[in-house]
Amino acid sequence: MTSSPEASLGTHQVTNQPEPVGDRDLLGVDPLFETMLSRSGVGLAELRAYGQALGRQSMRDAARDANRNSPDLRLFDSAGRRLDEVRFHPAYHGFMQLSAAAGYHSVAWEGGANGNLRHAAMVYLASQVEPGHCCPLTMTYAAAPVLAQADGLANWHSAILSRDYDPSVRPVSEKRGATLGMAMTEKQGGSDVRSNRTEAVRDGGDWRLRGHKWFCSAPMSDGFLTLAQVDGAGLTCFLVPRWLEDGRNAIRLQRLKDKLGNRSNASAEIEYDGARANLVGTPGNGIRTILGMVHHTRLDTAMAPAGLMRAALSEAVHWTRHRRAFGRQLIDQPLMQAVLADCALDWAGSLALGLQVAQRFDGTSEDDRAFTRIAVALAKYLSNKLCPQVVCEAMEAIGGSGYVEDGVLPMLYREAPLNGIWEGSANVICLDALRSMKGDGHSAEALRWTLEAARGQDTTYDSALRSYQSRWTTPPSEADARWFVEDTAALLTAAVLLAQQIPLVTEAYLQTRLGQQRGRFYGSLPAGQADGILDACFCG
């Protein structure tokens, strides 16, 4: 039997402190999430098992260990021979094994129904507990459709779809499963990858790369999709294996990034020193090729902030339900209810929009593809602008205890800006959204149809739609891109919530996000607007 911590400390008795939440079924305590999935026709058995496994207290402890024990860069062995390896804490490998076995990276490509939606649900769940390990699995998921269309890489495609996690240092032909990363940005260009200077030259039947990459996340992945210049053709996509049949590839790790956010995963600066590479697609078509991967990673960067917001609000709700101040429980105090309920509306909206976009990723029609091109940008932009604010409010609701590293809020707060930067910062995303709207017209039409389909269900929505249509009678300029994307994303979220028919939450979202019946900061809801929202969103 495990002894309870000592509460009688001689100088004082420890009281009025919430007990640890213990084991938690992440699906069972999230009624909105469960309802949205059920209405989408997703079987819940596997997701429930995954949510129960992630929700164990032992996994929260493991997440703490993985983030307290940062990856260790091993450039050389004791004799001075090059290793170029990163060693991770065993807890990190435990999360990789759990999520890979659940199919986080592969379920979308295994032929079952709702594959991308089930994947997105796993992103949401995993981000609540240990978001660091999501990075390599997200990139592996997103690389699969690119490799499926590449010549001569069938062995790689089958390896990355394996549910076996194999972190061993050996070529892909000898592994039970593989993961893929991405290395695109360089010092001189960042998001402007057309300015990349890494060069690719033929070497017999192979290609060899020479140059640097400013950000290479998950540098122990088995391979990386990367961009390099081919003389006479231009920017081209390559797969660079980490390990070769005859030894180590010439991928030199320069240093690990001392980054904000999670500490369990590694990001590195690397150099290709004549690294062997496989051509993916055709020379000069690199951006178009790798955008297939970027498109799918953006789905995850839209879903992950919903998971981070959920985790932060769950901590705040648990704290306020079990903490007394000024004569009553914190959760019973009207102002605290207003703050948390206001935050919960943005979390619920982000969750609903992210799941809707994921469901359309599973569609096969041109309308589905056109919708996802614009909608994934809208979801990524809005969710990531909201996430840091929500996490900060949750931390403030807990107070000083939320500010120290004994709890999970500091990690969530550090992680909150990540997905807004990864795969295109806000300006890049907004400009991409404008390009989608001004393209062949399909994205604009798919968006218009979705917004129109919600007309007639709520007068507040109908009024907002009319105002929106009169405001954007012509395509917005670049200077108006953020305003347009924020405006469109909020309206699309409202349309999705109306389709879900979730009482209380939908009504409050429409009145406060479209009807403008709120102040600038969280907690300025109209009187009575918070009633029932927390109970509808948080069980247990």
Side-chain angles (χ1 to χ4, degrees), residues 306-430:
L308 298 176
M309 285 188 271
R310 173 71 194 189
L313 289 173
S314 293
E315 293 292 321
V317 170
H318 176 74
W319 177 269
T320 56
R321 280 176 173 169
H322 298 87
R323 176 84 166 173
R324 291 183 63 83
F326 309 112
R328 52 183 168 172
Q329 298 299 116
L330 279 173
I331 197 69
D332 295 330
Q333 302 196 29
L335 187 53
M336 181 63 77
Q337 285 183 5
V339 171
L340 295 180
D342 206 358
C343 291
L345 294 179
D346 280 339
W347 154 73
S350 296
L351 174 62
L353 181 56
L355 292 177
Q356 174 64 19
V357 174
Q359 189 171 19
R360 297 294 291 273
F361 265 72
D362 287 317
T364 57
S365 70
E366 177 54 36
D367 282 346
D368 289 321
R369 289 188 289 271
F371 179 78
T372 61
R373 284 195 293 270
I374 179 65
V376 75
L378 300 176
K380 173 174 161 45
Y381 177 85
L382 186 61
S383 296
N384 284 292
K385 286 303 176 190
L386 296 171
C387 183
Q389 302 175 52
V390 170
V391 175
C392 184
E393 288 288 356
M395 181 184 291
E396 190 171 331
I398 296 173
S401 292
Y403 192 68
V404 297
E405 295 286 351
D406 291 342
V408 71
L409 263 298
M411 186 276 287
L412 295 174
Y413 188 67
R414 290 194 303 270
E415 188 76 1
L418 167 66
N419 294 282
I421 298 172
W422 189 22
E423 300 299 26
S425 58
N427 283 358
V428 172
I429 292 299
C430 291

Side-chain angles (χ1 to χ4, degrees), residues 5-40:
E6 179 61 58
S8 181
L9 303 184
T11 60
H12 66 284
Q13 190 81 12
V14 178
T15 62
N16 199 27
Q17 289 284 328
E19 294 293 330
V21 297
D23 293 345
R24 174 187 282 169
D25 176 357
L26 295 185
L27 194 61
V29 298
D30 196 341
L32 261 64
F33 179 50
E34 191 168 15
T35 297
M36 291 175 188
L37 289 177
S38 297
R39 290 177 178 173
S40 300

Side-chain angles (χ1 to χ4, degrees), residues 76-342:
F76 302 94
D77 71 3
S78 59
R81 294 174 289 242
R82 287 208 74 116
L83 289 174
D84 291 296
E85 294 179 14
V86 181
R87 308 287 172 84
F88 295 91
H89 190 272
Y92 175 84
H93 292 298
F95 276 102
M96 289 290 291
Q97 185 174 20
L98 171 66
S99 293
Y104 178 117
H105 63 299
S106 61
V107 68
W109 319 118
E110 293 173 343
N114 301 304
N116 284 286
L117 180 55
R118 289 157 67 195
H119 162 77
M122 290 184 186
V123 175
Y124 172 73
L125 292 170
S127 298
Q128 295 179 44
V129 182
E130 205 300 288
H133 81 288
C134 296
C135 175
L137 293 174
T138 282
M139 291 189 292
T140 304
Y141 151 77
V146 177
L147 295 190
Q149 300 177 30
D151 294 333
L153 296 175
N155 61 326
W156 277 94
H157 186 250
S158 61
I160 66 172
L161 294 188
S162 170
R163 290 196 180 196
D164 283 337
Y165 170 60
D166 184 352
S168 61
V169 176
R170 61 182 71 184
V172 70
S173 62
E174 301 177 14
K175 301 192 70 166
R176 303 187 311 274
T179 59
L180 281 188
M182 180 192 291
M184 282 203 298
T185 59
E186 297 180 6
K187 296 174 185 175
Q188 74 281 350
S191 296
D192 182 11
V193 295
R194 294 183 188 276
S195 66
N196 281 9
R197 294 293 176 261
T198 297
E199 296 180 345
V201 296
R202 279 196 178 277
D203 181 16
D206 293 328
W207 292 83
R208 294 205 176 262
L209 271 56
R210 184 173 300 279
H212 86 282
K213 294 297 174 181
W214 187 225
F215 243 98
C216 175
S217 291
M220 287 299 284
S221 299
D222 294 289
F224 306 95
L225 287 186
T226 197
L227 296 174
Q229 299 285 354
V230 172
D231 188 33
L235 208 56
T236 302
C237 185
F238 293 90
L239 170 61
V240 188
R242 191 74 164 84
W243 325 109
L244 303 173
E245 298 293 337
D246 57 357
R248 295 166 185 262
N249 206 358
I251 302 174
R252 308 302 185 203
L253 303 188
Q254 301 302 301
R255 63 170 176 167
L256 298 186
K257 297 285 193 180
D258 187 8
K259 63 183 189 298
L260 189 69
N262 71 80
R263 300 301 175 87
S264 63
N265 186 37
S267 296
E269 296 172 32
I270 66 171
E271 288 185 351
Y272 297 134
D273 189 13
R276 200 175 302 171
N278 302 104
L279 180 68
V280 181
T282 57
N285 204 32
I287 292 179
R288 181 183 295 274
T289 301
I290 209 166
L291 278 179
M293 183 177 184
V294 171
H295 182 58
H296 284 86
T297 52
R298 283 183 176 175
L299 173 61
D300 289 24
T301 60
M303 282 305 307
L308 298 176
M309 285 188 271
R310 173 71 194 189
L313 289 173
S314 293
E315 293 292 321
V317 170
H318 176 74
W319 177 269
T320 56
R321 280 176 173 169
H322 298 87
R323 176 84 166 173
R324 291 183 63 83
F326 309 112
R328 52 183 168 172
Q329 298 299 116
L330 279 173
I331 197 69
D332 295 330
Q333 302 196 29
L335 187 53
M336 181 63 77
Q337 285 183 5
V339 171
L340 295 180
D342 206 358

Side-chain angles (χ1 to χ4, degrees), residues 419-470:
N419 294 282
I421 298 172
W422 189 22
E423 300 299 26
S425 58
N427 283 358
V428 172
I429 292 299
C430 291
L431 295 176
D432 282 354
L434 291 195
R435 280 189 285 272
S436 295
M437 294 292 288
K438 296 176 181 178
D440 57 16
H442 291 165
S443 291
E445 181 60 22
L447 176 63
R448 187 196 67 78
W449 186 91
T450 304
L451 296 177
E452 285 288 349
R455 189 191 292 271
Q457 300 180 60
D458 182 90
T459 56
T460 300
Y461 177 84
D462 292 350
S463 176
L465 179 60
R466 287 192 297 271
S467 297
Y468 171 86
Q469 291 171 335
S470 64

Side-chain angles (χ1 to χ4, degrees), residues 495-539:
V496 171
L497 285 171
L498 279 170
Q500 289 285 350
Q501 298 181 345
I502 297 172
L504 296 178
V505 170
T506 300
E507 179 183 355
Y509 188 95
L510 293 172
Q511 292 182 6
T512 58
R513 272 57 177 176
L514 301 185
Q516 304 301 315
Q517 296 181 27
R518 67 192 292 254
R520 183 176 179 181
F521 302 112
Y522 288 109
S524 52
L525 293 172
Q529 194 71 74
D531 293 350
I533 290 177
L534 295 179
D535 288 338
C537 296
F538 297 90
C539 295

